Amino acid sequence: EAGVVQSPRYKIIEKKQPVAFWCNPISGHNTLYWYRQNLGQGPELLIRYENEEAVDDSQLPKDRFSAERLKGVDSTLKIQPAELGDSAVYLCASSLDRSGNQETQYFGPGTRLLVL
Amino acid sequence: KQEVTQIPAALSVPEGENLVLNCSFTDSAIYNLQWFRQDPGKGLTSLLLIQSSQREQTSGRLNASLDKSSGRSTLYIAASQPGDSATYLCAVETSGSRLTFGEGTQLTVNP
């Protein structure tokens, strides 16, 4: 079974340019997460989707970041315009749903963004 | 606000040694605690998940313990191997299905 797929794997852009990341979760997983991981730190949640609905976007910088999950499957995360401080690894994760007590999140390989 | 701290930040051991990684968290109102492994340039792989009502979980050479009241968890790795070299991250799940991660311990196992 394929895991969480992300593209691109690497992206280098100049500041003030837009950038978009794509994520395809594990088939059947209703919950999708976007995290940002700065160098030497743990991931921090940006947004969580339950199907098509963004149920936790409190840590998403809404002035420049946006996300969507059309049809409750694939998701895109966009930054416009990008700033130097946005350089990080952007991780996507998915999990089945919240009906059970255990909720393992499966992570993709991430997109490494460098803003020059 | 939940804060998760991992000690040490980096650890280098010879092959075959047993080792312990430490994790502490400030708010004991957690649903579960997870240990992840992250290899360079890759995503995270879940190793063990301990529910808040549990004390420990074991998988192969790995054993994780949880003391919720004191806000501590340990990950014990027995008979370490070079393939265990990676960054190990601890994360706690709180209300709203939010995972709060520590900064990780970078482990190097030398042949």
Side-chain angles (χ1 to χ4, degrees):
Chain A
E1 178 182 327
V4 177
V5 179
Q6 291 188 248
S7 69
R9 293 295 311 277
Y10 305 92
K11 190 73 176 178
I12 301 175
I13 61 171
E14 294 185 348
K15 63 180 180 181
K16 300 185 181 180
Q17 294 300 306
V19 65
F21 315 124
W22 175 80
C23 172
N24 179 243
I26 292 173
S27 178
H29 281 196
N30 298 322
T31 307
L32 183 145
Y33 312 76
W34 281 104
Y35 290 87
R36 176 170 59 190
Q37 185 176 24
N38 293 312
L39 187 63
Q41 298 184 15
E44 293 182 330
L45 180 69
L46 292 174
I47 189 168
R48 176 172 69 95
Y49 281 94
E50 294 287 347
N51 299 304
E52 303 91 350
E53 183 182 1
V55 296
D56 184 355
D57 63 356
S58 58
Q59 299 190 111
L60 187 73
K62 297 182 182 62
D63 57 337
R64 297 182 301 107
F65 286 65
S66 65
E68 61 181 10
R69 191 184 184 197
L70 300 177
K71 301 181 181 180
V73 181
D74 296 0
S75 177
T76 57
L77 177 68
K78 298 178 182 178
I79 309 175
Q80 182 172 9
E83 297 179 351
L84 295 177
D86 296 331
S87 296
V89 176
Y90 291 82
L91 295 164
C92 179
S94 69
S95 60
L96 274 173
D97 58 39
R98 288 301 302 166
S99 61
N101 290 325
Q102 295 195 15
E103 197 57 58
T104 297
Q105 296 183 27
Y106 296 85
F107 284 78
T111 295
R112 189 173 299 271
L113 173 67
L114 178 60
V115 182
L116 302 176
Chain B
K1 178 184 176 182
Q2 178 74 265
E3 293 183 2
V4 180
T5 304
Q6 291 187 245
I7 294 173
L11 181 64
S12 181
V13 301
E15 182 177 2
E17 191 165 298
N18 302 325
L19 59 98
V20 174
L21 307 182
N22 297 289
C23 173
S24 62
F25 47 95
T26 55
D27 186 351
S28 61
I30 65 170
Y31 290 123
N32 60 56
L33 181 144
Q34 297 185 56
W35 283 94
F36 291 86
R37 169 184 173 141
Q38 186 171 31
D39 292 284
K42 296 187 178 181
L44 283 66
T45 301
S46 180
L47 298 173
L48 292 165
L49 184 152
I50 310 176
Q51 296 287 359
S52 61
S53 58
Q54 297 175 324
R55 298 281 299 181
E56 66 177 343
Q57 282 286 342
T58 298
S59 176
R61 295 181 293 107
L62 305 180
N63 176 275
S65 68
L66 173 64
D67 184 342
K68 198 174 78 162
S69 61
S70 67
R72 296 176 189 273
S73 175
T74 62
L75 178 66
Y76 175 84
I77 302 178
S80 59
Q81 302 171 359
D84 295 331
S85 298
T87 296
Y88 290 81
L89 292 154
C90 165
V92 295
E93 182 175 351
T94 54
S95 61
S97 305
R98 179 174 295 186
L99 282 180
T100 302
F101 286 84
E103 295 185 347
T105 293
Q106 186 173 354
L107 173 66
T108 302
V109 181
N110 301 300

